Amino acid sequence: RTEITELYSKTAELSGKAVTVCGWVRTIRDSKALGFIDLNDGSCFKGVQIVFEANRISNFTEVTKLNVGSALVVTGELVLTPQAKQPFEIHADKIEAEGLSSPDYPLQKKRHSLEFLRTIAHLRPRTNTFSAAFRVRSAAAFAIHKFFHENGFVYVHTPLITGSDCEGAGEMFTVTTLDAENPPRKKDGTVDYSQDFFQKHTSLTVSGQLEAECMAMAFGKVYTFGPTFRAEKSYTQRHAAEFWMIEPEIAFADLQDNMKLAEAMMKYVIKYVMDTCPDDIAFFNQFIDKGLVDRLTNVVNSDFACVTYTEAIEILKKNNDKFEYKVSWGSDLQTEHEKYLTEQVFGKPVFVTDYPKEIKAFYMRLNDDGKTVAAVDLLVPGIGEIIGGSQREERIEILQQRMKEFKLNEENYWWYLDLRRYGGTKHAGYGLGFERLVMYLTGIANIRDVLPFPRTTGTAEF
Ligand code: 4AD
Ligand code: MG
């Protein structure tokens, strides 16, 4: 059995030989004694044309009755077709229908809307758009592992069930074995989690960072790459309740080192995906986002811009008339501001650093001005924030003070504070939203279309 991608990479070698391919029918047509099938196996963007003839296969009439979507095993000769659009075709000697498809198969030849395809998430990977998107997703995931391994990072696994809220935003999904309808309650009416499985309140993780910090204090350079959960009620095109995040954490490193790492990683992954998925990227460039290839090529070949939050606010304030939400120093940046900065002002990815401490998480290192923290967000055209990171607060007294300000219970973070007691070093890290990266690589505008089975508010089908 040969995958279709191999037929393309070894065409000359296979020319005139018998090959067997397995795949699903995209289109099928016939006239009298001759028919054509476009067969696709998902191994690459392209399909292969199968030519079948009444005087060459034994079940010609049966084959002409096959519906789109059928699963076939085809054996035949690979014949070069220098005159035709495709470089070769397969002249079938044998066509076995391994799985028939009903005539009501929802993916017919016409173009379907992305909204409609979301309602059939179990079948949409068989379309051009989703097949390409999920192949790019796979290649990007591999590129990330490759990048970090080539740079001496240790891949660590952090827990999905946790007792702490890393981001302190209260956007966690509770994990419990208690009776949801009638949980045991304490005298003050609050739920009594001491009777729960873990004997305390636990949730699905919103970030593996705090645990990654523990590992960085042993290995120096680590990264996580795993599922992340947020019960954010943001009904936007770039928020999902279940997404994947990559979180490197580096010891003996500051914010500048962090930014250098982020820029090198982004360029590496973009280049890798462009090199390994050229047909998928060409498809997105033609049908989804006309400027995609130019934009990605520019990103690989030029330096990212860098501004402080304070500078960014100065720029945005002058353009407040263009925004729904007006900004002033202290405002959190909304998507419209992020997009304006990266698309209109800089025209490329831009790091924004040193945000006001009130709008960022407790663990970020307090700057000498006492007002800002050593935070960094990377904003990219078309998306806005794709990375959020910081240098971490390594000074225990300041960290404890910050935790008080955030009303965090020190008892839950004793182990995190220990890191500052036993050989704490300056250190930094960031989180890259994997789906936002895939959106950036494909030009796909909605996060629901880069997740195989998206979970957003109100959607957990499949
Ligand atoms: O900026 P965030 O919240 O940062 C953290 O969680 C840090 N603990 C990371 C770290 O320093 N180790 O999230 C990081 C990134 C965002 O920039 C965004 O790309 C993505 O995660 N992200 C989401 N992606 C999809 N859906 C959501 N609901 C997301 N929330 C964050
Ligand atoms: Mg963020």
Side-chain angles (χ1 to χ4, degrees), residues 382-452:
I383 298 193
E385 179 189 338
I386 194 165
I387 283 178
S390 65
Q391 185 172 338
R392 319 306 189 188
E393 185 56 78
E394 81 283 13
R395 299 160 297 185
I396 192 162
E397 297 79 21
I398 300 178
L399 184 59
Q400 284 167 319
Q401 178 55 35
R402 296 283 291 147
M403 289 175 69
K404 273 202 198 85
E405 289 166 23
F406 280 86
K407 300 199 166 56
L408 294 177
N409 187 351
E410 266 193 35
E411 277 167 37
N412 289 335
Y413 297 86
W414 63 272
W415 50 275
Y416 189 66
L417 292 165
D418 262 6
L419 298 180
R420 278 77 186 161
R421 292 195 183 97
Y422 307 125
T425 72
K426 75 177 173 188
H427 62 292
Y430 61 82
L432 164 68
F434 185 56
E435 283 68 27
R436 293 195 188 170
L437 174 68
V438 179
M439 290 164 76
Y440 190 51
L441 289 166
T442 57
I444 290 176
N446 196 313
I447 199 164
R448 291 166 183 82
D449 300 328
V450 297
L451 277 155

Side-chain angles (χ1 to χ4, degrees), residues 8 32 37 55 59 76 102 111 165 222-223 315 356 393 442-443:
Y8 283 95
K32 294 196 190 98
I37 295 170
N55 60 13
N59 54 348
S102 302
R111 258 182 128 183
D165 179 359
V222 301
Y223 74 102
I315 298 169
E393 185 56 78
T442 57

Side-chain angles (χ1 to χ4, degrees), residues 167 230 360 364 377 385 387-389 436:
E167 294 307 299
R230 293 194 189 177
K360 288 290 179 184
M364 297 192 181
D377 278 4
E385 179 189 338
I387 283 178
R436 293 195 188 170

